Amino acid sequence: MAKVLVSDPIDQVGVEILSQVAQVDVKTGLPPEELVKIIPEYDAMMLRSGTRVTKEIIEAATQLKIIGRAGVGVDNIDVQAATRQGIVVVNSPEGNTIAAAEHALAMMLSLSRHIPEANQSVKNDKWERKRFIGAEVYKKTLGVVGLGKIGSHVANVAKSMGMKLLAYDPFISKERADQLGCTLVDLDLLFAESDYITLHIPKTKETTHIINKESLSKMKPNARIINCARGGTIDESALAEAIAEGKIAGAALDVFEEEPLKESKLREHENIILTPHLGASTAEAQVNVAVDVAEQIRDVLLGLPARSAVNIPGLTPDVMEKMRPYLQLAETLGNLVGQLAGGRIERLTVRLQGELASTKGQPIVVASIKGLLSQALRERVNYVNAAIEATERGIRIIETHDASIRDYSDSLHLAAQGSLGEHSVTGALLSDGEIRITDVDGFPINVPPSNYMLFTVHRDMPGIIGKIGSLLGSFNVNIASMQVGRKIVRGDAVMALSLDDPLPEGLLNEITKVDGIRDAYTVKL
């Protein structure tokens, strides 16, 4: 009989489901050295956030088929090591959705009607009805920043409450926003016109302090902010200052830049509601994630596929080893074409060329989508949810196969239609597995991808390369490699530069001013 190790406390219903197919050992709080010692005897492992599943533990797990995380994040699991070992890693990406959305709505209503302060007032034997005159949300404008699963549910409920909906999400199509009853606007307009602003975004470089002193200055005096998503997306000092000065009406926060919340000016204001990261803390959510993950572990032990794997499900180590270079090629090209085409992608075409055309396309297509969405979703997009995420964003996916042999025996071509127009890239693998970008927008090149890249579209004329090189040098940006692709002499050309350094702010604008440059794009891979 299979054996399952439960290394963190989970709801009993999860244990009962696992017990249908396996011997279940609940051993919580084990130190890493003890886990390494006992893990070889287990076929599956279920945990929450308390256990760290390191490379050492995974390499010792000679029988392990699946690791299940009863929650959303898998940052406490070495997913890469698990994938190399052919171990499926699953989570529960939707188990907390309703709980988090409802908490955001509860915070909005509590903020509007002063519920925490009024409750405390009555408990202090007071009756201060005039002090707690609130505001209705009916006919007010709610600005939803991020229309993923949680943001979409908040929007649906708010719409039923009679609220007008604005939304900002550069990765959602207009058609999807229309379905939700949201008007897509830019961030500045959302800040300026919203009575309530609710955040449903991951913390990334781009979203860190997305609400700051400058954005707060654009808001209405009656604006109220709700954040039940990620700490660090709000400049907490600037928020406290804006509320103290009456620039906005209030805020309700469930997440913070540093948790637990230390000494903070946020505690000083009556019209700021603070809760200790309770978004997913409902009895139902705890049961949901336990059931979801336990069922997936049960299915895998029975030889069935998992529905929410965060790595490639169902691939044996030998197949994984064969496919890995092509999946990496697809992810890289998807990431590249997504940045060239712009954030709001409408269509992605994936064409497997040459000998690759005879390969089963689904894993390569999914890897391409994962790369395409990686700038928006970061670690939240994986090989299982990538296609679903694309569908929810209104992105049309087209898969084609072309057995014609071009410069390489097999290659991959991606084309994307986005907010910056239609762009295409082609790539191939060298004999040693190294990735080469072989074409950009129909212009032949041959460059390896790098962390920082600059692409220009320009007129093929003397002096262009020198001007760009001098301009980059004046900003202390080092060029690692450079190549120009053209179709005819003195016609249009594409220049691809691999850089050792990111472009300083304002430099891209200076590059576009160079005589002969038609357009320029920066890419971070």
Side-chain angles (χ1 to χ4, degrees):
M1 194 176 192
K3 294 182 67 177
V4 180
L5 173 64
V6 176
S7 60
D8 290 321
I10 64 167
D11 193 276
Q12 182 61 28
V13 67
V15 175
E16 293 170 1
I17 291 170
L18 294 172
S19 298
Q20 297 170 5
V21 296
Q23 173 187 323
V24 182
D25 295 338
V26 180
K27 299 180 179 180
T28 61
L30 294 175
E33 57 272 18
E34 183 64 21
L35 273 173
V36 169
K37 187 183 301 183
I38 68 171
I39 200 64
E41 58 186 280
Y42 288 98
D43 301 277
M45 184 177 185
M46 186 169 177
L47 57 130
R48 291 184 61 85
S49 58
T51 303
R52 295 200 64 81
V53 185
T54 62
K55 179 181 178 182
E56 290 71 27
I57 293 170
I58 288 170
E59 289 180 345
T62 52
Q63 295 190 97
L64 206 62
K65 299 177 180 66
I66 180 170
I67 301 169
R69 163 71 162 93
V72 177
V74 291
D75 53 326
N76 56 324
I77 302 171
D78 190 329
V79 177
Q80 185 176 7
T83 302
R84 283 198 299 270
Q85 295 288 102
I87 299 169
V88 178
V89 179
V90 302
N91 66 348
S92 181
E94 298 184 20
N96 299 335
T97 297
I98 299 302
E102 288 186 354
H103 193 61
L105 291 160
M107 294 281 267
M108 179 176 71
L109 294 172
S110 295
L111 188 61
S112 296
R113 301 306 296 267
H114 310 292
I115 290 173
E117 310 97 285
N119 169 68
Q120 192 58 49
S121 173
V122 174
K123 287 184 175 180
N124 290 338
D125 200 23
K126 297 178 182 179
W127 198 257
E128 303 175 287
R129 295 181 66 194
K130 290 184 179 179
R131 178 185 168 195
F132 298 119
I133 295 175
E136 296 180 6
V137 300
Y138 180 63
K139 291 189 176 181
K140 297 297 195 311
T141 298
L142 174 64
V144 184
V145 183
L147 277 177
K149 293 180 178 67
I150 297 172
S152 295
H153 188 75
V154 169
N156 270 324
V157 176
K159 181 183 177 183
S160 70
M161 295 167 66
M163 300 188 79
K164 175 184 175 183
L165 300 175
L166 299 179
Y168 171 79
D169 191 325
F171 303 96
I172 288 286
S173 68
K174 182 179 182 299
E175 289 72 22
R176 174 58 177 162
D178 289 344
Q179 290 173 3
L180 295 168
C182 297
T183 301
L184 283 178
V185 296
D186 62 41
L187 205 52
D188 286 344
L189 186 60
L190 184 145
F191 288 150
E193 295 194 358
S194 297
D195 301 297
Y196 296 85
I197 297 164
T198 181
L199 302 184
H200 301 286
I201 49 178
K203 182 188 176 185
T204 66
K205 180 182 177 182
E206 292 75 21
T207 62
T208 296
H209 289 185
I210 195 170
I211 291 184
N212 50 44
K213 187 171 184 178
E214 181 182 357
S215 56
L216 287 161
S217 69
K218 299 172 183 176
M219 297 179 190
K220 297 178 178 181
N222 69 318
R224 295 171 173 87
I225 297 169
I226 300 96
N227 186 15
C228 295
R230 288 290 182 269
T233 53
I234 296 177
D235 183 335
E236 294 169 3
S237 296
L239 176 64
E241 182 180 331
I243 292 175
E245 295 176 358
K247 293 180 179 178
I248 66 169
L253 309 179
D254 184 50
V255 290
F256 307 92
E257 197 141 16
E258 185 179 359
E259 297 183 1
L261 183 65
K262 302 291 193 299
E263 183 178 345
S264 172
K265 291 185 178 180
L266 295 171
R267 289 194 174 96
E268 299 174 5
H269 303 286
E270 193 175 66
N271 48 348
I272 298 180
I273 298 175
L274 309 175
T275 54
H277 206 145
L278 298 178
S281 296
T282 64
E284 294 84 353
Q286 302 307 305
V287 172
N288 289 343
V289 296
V291 169
D292 187 4
V293 173
E295 287 180 344
Q296 292 187 76
I297 293 174
R298 178 199 63 194
D299 289 349
V300 168
L301 292 178
L302 291 173
L304 301 172
R307 59 179 174 267
S308 295
V310 300
N311 54 359
I312 306 176
L315 287 182
T316 60
D318 57 326
V319 174
M320 179 65 193
E321 193 61 33
K322 180 180 177 181
M323 289 293 294
R324 186 183 293 114
Y326 292 102
L327 299 177
Q328 185 57 53
L329 170 66
E331 277 197 52
T332 300
L333 295 180
N335 194 347
L336 172 56
V337 79
Q339 292 183 65
L340 292 177
R344 191 169 294 146
I345 304 296
E346 298 173 7
R347 183 183 69 250
L348 174 68
T349 301
V350 181
R351 187 169 73 214
L352 285 71
Q353 302 179 155
E355 295 176 6
L356 196 59
S358 62
T359 304
K360 184 178 179 181
Q362 184 185 15
I364 293 175
V365 172
V366 170
S368 301
I369 299 170
K370 182 176 183 292
L372 183 81
L373 298 177
S374 62
Q375 290 295 316
L377 301 179
R378 308 291 174 176
E379 71 282 352
R380 293 193 297 121
V381 63
N382 56 59
Y383 285 99
V384 168
N385 68 12
I388 298 171
E389 295 285 357
T391 299
E392 291 186 344
R393 282 159 175 73
I395 302 172
R396 184 184 176 201
I397 307 297
I398 302 169
E399 176 188 340
T400 64
H401 295 245
D402 181 357
S404 303
I405 302 295
R406 293 169 172 78
D407 293 338
Y408 292 83
S409 60
D410 52 12
S411 60
L412 182 64
H413 175 85
L414 304 186
Q417 176 72 45
S419 53
L420 298 179
E422 183 165 1
H423 289 268
S424 66
V425 297
T426 304
L429 296 173
L430 300 185
S431 57
D432 61 359
E434 187 177 351
I435 294 173
R436 280 289 190 274
I437 301 167
T438 61
D439 186 287
V440 172
D441 290 338
F443 291 91
I445 58 173
N446 191 322
V447 295
S450 65
N451 284 345
Y452 305 105
M453 301 192 76
L454 170 66
F455 293 89
T456 68
V457 181
H458 63 272
R459 194 166 68 253
D460 182 29
M461 56 185 283
I464 288 281
I465 296 173
K467 289 177 182 177
I468 297 299
S470 297
L471 193 54
L472 291 172
S474 67
F475 279 82
N476 199 33
V477 176
N478 196 47
I479 300 173
S481 67
M482 182 275 295
Q483 191 175 90
V484 174
R486 64 183 186 180
K487 298 175 183 177
I488 59 172
V489 176
R490 305 277 179 159
D492 283 345
V494 163
M495 179 162 49
L497 299 97
S498 298
L499 308 175
D500 292 329
D501 314 286
L503 259 62
E505 189 172 351
L507 178 52
L508 187 64
N509 187 50
E510 292 299 314
I511 290 171
T512 59
K513 294 178 182 177
V514 173
D515 185 36
I517 297 290
R518 302 191 191 282
D519 216 336
Y521 306 87
T522 56
V523 169
K524 185 179 186 303
L525 297 177

